[in-house]
Amino acid sequence: MRKSNWKLGALSAVLLISLTGCGTAKEAGTANANETATKTATKSNYPVKPITFVAPNGAGGGLDKTARLIVKGLSETKLVTETMTVENKPGGGGSVYMAEYATKETKNPYKLLVNSPPVIINNLKKEGNSPFGYKDTTPLAQLTKDYGAITVPADSKYKDLKALLEDIKADPAKVIIAGGSSPGGMDHLFAMLPVYKYGLDPKAIKYVAYDGGGEAITALLGNHATAAAKPVSLILPYVKSGHVRVLAVTSPERIHTDLLKDVPTLRELGLDADFTIWRGVLGPKEMGKDEIAYWDKVFKELSEKEEWKKLLAEDGVESEYKSAADFKPFLDEQEKLIKEILDVLGMSKN
């Protein structure tokens, strides 16, 4: 009887050990499987299909040119091997597509938005404003910088900016400034910046908005405007052809090109102001961390490539790289500056 009990106890112990061992192995196997599944789920193979860079203006505009430069640079350097295309979405100075992007593309990492100061301006100005702005996106990188140019016809009586400002002071009604953006838009803002800093009333000047930079220059050359405000990169061909004279630029330092090396900055003229026309890439609001990290790496490498710098030099713009982490704080500061100018013009929505 004792022997039978001993055998039964020993058998129970063996079964208990076996079952415990099986349970431990099963739990370990499940834990390993879960860990592997988690790693597989979090690992991103992005991108795996074509990418679209959207320029919220028409063909030939500043953002269109920038988007095409980005695609060309990424293709030539082979930093991105997926197919890339540029899509133009004009309308409302970029505000029409901004509404679509901020509401319908919030989770689409294959559609990236190329933008510039209007994404802030349109969100802040009173008339024709957009309820959406850069805070409804994921800022990925600033890639280039451009500046404003105050321009007159080559045969204009104005040889320097001070002469123009003095005429505005004497009779602002006689001066007409042309631009390629709507009132309160980018061209209008940097055109009024020197006027404001000179102590004059920007609201007293007649600003005429044309549908695009080309038409603004046509108006200038046809003597329908006294001066024009356009980005440096878009005005360079007309400087080279000898059709226009640039009185001043809004850069902190002189532009490093032979065509504009003798043109002073606003600061050189005693006007405490500059205006950077940044251009960069924004992603959808709900972009994943792996997707952000991918573009952080790609855009940083692009900014360091000689091929990229050469492309920009040929287009008259300068490289200026800011990572995703640095781009957002920069946009916050830009928002403050733009609101200040809109407030002075009485064009801020708040």
Side-chain angles (χ1 to χ4, degrees):
M1 186 72 178
R2 289 179 183 175
K3 188 173 182 181
S4 296
N5 288 340
W6 177 84
K7 286 182 178 180
L8 183 60
L11 180 60
S12 298
V14 169
L15 286 172
L16 180 61
I17 292 169
S18 298
L19 288 171
T20 303
C22 287
T24 303
K26 185 177 180 181
E27 289 168 7
T30 302
N32 289 337
N34 288 339
E35 185 179 353
T36 301
T38 301
K39 286 181 178 178
T40 302
T42 56
K43 184 179 179 181
S44 172
N45 293 320
Y46 173 87
V48 294
K49 60 182 184 179
I51 301 158
T52 301
F53 286 86
V54 179
N57 63 2
L63 293 177
D64 174 66
K65 291 175 72 177
T66 301
R68 294 181 192 282
L69 280 174
I70 292 171
V71 168
K72 188 174 183 180
L74 292 174
S75 298
E76 289 186 357
T77 56
K78 295 183 172 54
L79 288 171
V80 176
T81 55
E82 295 296 329
T83 300
M84 293 174 287
T85 58
V86 174
E87 187 175 351
N88 296 99
K89 292 283 188 177
S95 61
V96 173
Y97 182 71
M98 188 67 227
E100 180 181 332
Y101 193 70
T103 57
K104 297 181 180 179
E105 303 289 356
T106 55
K107 297 180 180 180
N108 182 5
Y110 289 92
K111 188 161 281 192
L112 305 181
L113 182 61
V114 180
N115 227 306
S116 61
V119 73
I120 300 175
I121 296 167
N122 292 338
N123 186 231
L124 295 178
K125 68 179 183 178
K126 182 164 48 180
E127 299 296 333
N129 70 75
S130 167
F132 305 103
Y134 73 95
K135 292 175 184 175
D136 299 293
T137 71
T138 299
L140 294 176
Q142 178 188 345
L143 291 173
T144 71
K145 62 180 177 182
D146 200 352
Y147 298 102
I150 310 300
T151 308
V152 295
D155 59 358
S156 170
K157 69 175 183 177
Y158 298 111
K159 308 300 181 186
D160 55 62
L161 183 62
K162 185 178 179 181
L164 177 62
L165 292 172
E166 282 296 317
D167 268 11
I168 291 173
K169 183 178 180 180
D171 189 355
K174 288 185 177 180
V175 175
I176 299 173
I177 297 182
S181 65
S182 61
M186 185 173 68
D187 291 1
H188 186 202
L189 293 193
F190 74 72
M192 296 303 113
L193 192 56
V195 176
Y196 163 54
K197 291 296 182 177
Y198 201 66
L200 305 176
D201 182 8
K203 297 189 292 293
I205 300 172
K206 185 176 182 181
Y207 172 82
V208 180
Y210 289 88
D211 188 17
E215 290 189 20
I217 295 300
T218 299
L220 179 70
L221 298 179
N223 294 317
H224 299 297
T226 314
K230 290 305 304 169
V232 167
S233 61
L234 298 184
I235 209 71
L236 278 179
Y238 300 97
V239 178
K240 189 173 183 179
S241 66
H243 286 94
V244 302
R245 178 189 305 122
V246 179
L247 301 182
V249 289
T250 68
S251 54
E253 300 174 351
R254 291 198 179 193
I255 304 293
H256 301 299
T257 173
D258 288 342
L259 291 172
L260 299 177
K261 65 180 180 180
D262 296 324
V263 177
T265 68
L266 296 182
R267 292 190 181 279
E268 284 183 73
L269 299 174
L271 304 172
D272 184 22
D274 51 59
F275 192 99
T276 302
I277 304 172
W278 58 267
R279 293 192 181 108
V281 182
L282 308 173
K285 179 71 171 177
E286 298 179 43
M287 202 167 194
K289 290 182 179 179
D290 287 348
E291 294 151 359
I292 295 171
Y294 171 84
W295 288 111
D296 240 6
K297 179 176 182 294
V298 165
F299 286 139
K300 183 177 188 302
E301 290 182 7
L302 178 66
S303 71
E304 295 167 351
K305 295 286 187 181
E306 288 304 317
E307 298 98 317
W308 173 245
K309 294 174 184 177
K310 183 179 178 182
L311 282 174
L312 295 185
E314 290 171 353
D315 200 57
V317 295
E318 297 181 49
S319 175
E320 177 87 339
Y321 171 73
K322 286 186 179 69
S323 67
D326 294 331
F327 194 23
K328 172 63 167 56
F330 169 75
L331 294 179
D332 293 339
E333 288 302 313
Q334 288 286 294
E335 185 178 53
K336 293 176 185 176
L337 171 65
I338 288 169
K339 187 173 188 311
E340 179 186 354
I341 305 172
L342 285 171
D343 285 344
V344 169
L345 288 167
M347 303 183 78
S348 174
K349 67 181 178 183
N350 296 321

